[in-house]
Structure formats: structure tokens, C-alpha cells
Amino acid sequence: DFDCRRLLCNALVQPYLDYCSTAWYSSLTVELKRRLDVIQRRMARFIFSLDRLSHIDKTDLRKLSWLSIPDRVRFFKLTQVFKIRNGISPQYLAASFLPLSEAHGYETRRKSFNYQISRELSNSRSSFTYTAIKYWNDLPQSLQSLTSLTTFKKRLKDFIISSSGLE
């Protein structure tokens, strides 16, 4: 049935797509990113018991409570930055993230929430640190200021879905 097929995909296939995706996804070619998207759409067709030519779009993924592959990667990167910001990630990860409040003395509205992108990071635009900081600095302050990981994840998922034009 539907629930069993969804459980199978969530338990057996999705973890392979998600594993370390924050590290390798940014440097993939367009063709490999397209192939990952094809895999996700095939899983959705399997779950909905549709034929192989049926169209699957973001609203179908929403029915499964899934984000698209690029949105999932963005979600995982932002979750990791949240953990870094709140001191619940390994220290070696936090070393690359310099808050603006420590980078300069100028008073800005988002100084205490955003991170600085150093010149070294600007040269490696596909790195985890660069893309994670870019995503984080683009978040609304209402999300950046949360302190509960569970609340952050829920609101972040809602934010990503609403920013992709589904609500």
C-alpha cells in the first residue's frame, strides 16, 4: 500500500541520496544533478503507483512531505549552520564560520546573526562553508534567532516550501 511504499523509499533509498550531500552536491555536474532528480521522481511514481511517464512536480513531492533535492541540500546545510551557531556541532566545523560581530566593529542590523565570507571562501564558491554561509545570510532574522533545533527544522522546511512557490 501507499504507506508501505513511502516507508520503503524513506528508509532504503532516501538516506543514500542524503548521505554527505552537503559536501558533494555543490560540485556535481548539471547532468548528475538531473539524474538525482530523476531518481527522486521515480521514487514518487513508485509510491503513488503511477506509470513511468507520469509527471511529478513539487506539489507531488509536497504530498510526500519531501523537498526537492536542491532544497534538501539547502535544508541540511542550514541545519548544520544552526548547530554551529548554537554550539551543538563539532568545534572543527565552527572554526570556518566567523560571525560578523567578530569580523568588524560596524553596527549593522544583522551583525549578530550573519557570518562573514572571507576572501579565501570567495575563491571556492562550491565549498560547503561558502554555500552554507550564503544560505544562512539570506534567511530571515526570525529563523536565524531561533534556539530550538526542532522548531528551527520545522520552520525552515515551511520557509523553503513557501519560498519555492508552493503555498
Side-chain angles (χ1 to χ4, degrees):
D1 67 334
F2 175 84
D3 291 328
C4 184
R5 288 190 302 271
R6 189 170 92 189
L7 181 65
L8 282 170
C9 287
N10 284 338
L12 299 177
V13 181
Q14 199 69 46
Y16 284 99
L17 300 178
D18 293 341
Y19 182 72
C20 292
S21 61
T22 57
W24 52 259
Y25 185 80
S26 297
S27 60
L28 288 181
T29 64
V30 173
E31 174 60 20
L32 288 175
K33 289 179 180 181
R34 187 194 66 76
R35 291 173 86 181
L36 287 172
D37 185 56
V38 167
I39 291 169
Q40 188 180 44
R41 291 174 194 273
R42 283 185 180 174
M43 286 190 312
R45 286 186 196 98
F46 170 70
I47 292 169
F48 289 124
S49 296
L50 299 172
D51 65 85
R52 66 182 191 87
L53 298 177
S54 297
H55 178 70
I56 299 292
D57 59 13
K58 286 189 177 185
T59 55
D60 297 316
L61 297 179
R62 173 79 168 122
K63 291 175 189 172
L64 296 171
S65 297
W66 287 358
L67 296 170
S68 66
I69 300 287
D71 287 341
R72 286 181 75 80
V73 172
R74 182 176 165 203
F75 175 84
F76 291 132
K77 286 182 180 186
L78 287 168
T79 301
Q80 191 60 48
V81 175
F82 176 86
K83 290 178 181 179
I84 289 168
R85 178 169 172 70
N86 290 288
I88 52 177
S89 72
Q91 188 59 37
Y92 68 88
L93 283 177
S96 300
F97 290 80
L98 180 66
L100 281 180
S101 58
E102 296 175 20
H104 62 72
Y106 302 114
E107 286 301 320
T108 61
R109 284 178 288 212
R110 297 177 61 104
K111 176 180 171 180
S112 59
F113 295 103
N114 286 356
Y115 289 97
Q116 179 186 23
I117 297 178
S118 65
R119 289 183 185 175
E120 296 84 26
L121 285 178
S122 296
N123 295 332
S124 58
R125 294 180 188 263
S126 65
S127 71
F128 166 77
T129 309
Y130 179 85
T131 55
I133 290 174
K134 288 290 284 181
Y135 290 151
W136 181 264
N137 289 348
D138 290 341
L139 276 182
Q141 190 171 337
S142 59
L143 280 173
Q144 291 176 333
S145 61
L146 293 173
T147 55
S148 165
L149 180 60
T150 307
T151 304
F152 177 77
K153 284 181 173 182
K154 181 180 180 343
R155 291 191 184 164
L156 177 60
K157 188 172 184 180
D158 293 341
F159 172 77
I160 290 173
I161 288 170
S162 67
S163 66
S164 66
L166 294 179
E167 289 188 335

